[in-house]
Amino acid sequence: MALSSSRIRRRSTAFALVAAVTLLGLASWYVFSGRGTGLLPQSSWGPWREKPQVNHWGVQVRVNSWSNAAEAHVHMGKAEDFTMKAYGTRARATTDMDGTRFTLTPDGKITGQWPQEHGTR
């Protein structure tokens, strides 16, 4: 009898260890892939850096050093202002003022494109 209860204890301990390692692995992937960036400390973010203007819009970008994530402040003076967050995947936004379509990638690259009809005005 003692032999079988010993086996059961070892198996349940092994199962608990496998479950803990699996959960830790999934949690690490979630945070460091960029999807759980909000859970990382503020010190993991780099400084805000001024980028060259994109279609006459001012842009500041910062990148997370621990994770696959970036944030951008986009502004046209006091007329329009918004923040983009690319946490693990691209973020897209379109301005109300002139219809510029912005794309921010998790590595901090930001692009802007005017709509097709903008060139004909």
Side-chain angles (χ1 to χ4, degrees), residues 19-32:
V21 167
T22 302
L23 286 174
L24 184 60
L26 287 172
S28 296
W29 168 81
Y30 180 75
V31 170
F32 295 108

Side-chain angles (χ1 to χ4, degrees), residues 49-96:
R49 298 186 190 275
E50 194 76 31
K51 295 284 188 175
Q53 286 191 344
V54 179
N55 292 359
H56 307 294
W57 289 82
V59 177
Q60 294 177 318
V61 176
R62 71 179 183 167
V63 177
N64 193 288
S65 60
W66 291 11
S67 166
N68 189 24
E71 294 181 346
H73 286 312
V74 182
H75 57 89
M76 175 70 85
K78 293 183 181 180
E80 192 172 351
D81 182 8
F82 59 94
T83 301
M84 298 175 71
K85 296 178 179 183
Y87 291 174
T89 185
R90 292 179 185 194
R92 291 189 169 88
T94 302
T95 63
D96 292 332

Side-chain angles (χ1 to χ4, degrees), residues 55 57 93-102 112-121:
N55 292 359
W57 289 82
T94 302
T95 63
D96 292 332
M97 204 165 132
D98 65 1
T100 299
R101 292 182 302 244
F102 286 95
Q113 182 179 11
W114 278 314
Q116 294 290 1
E117 67 272 3
H118 185 80
T120 60
R121 286 186 183 172

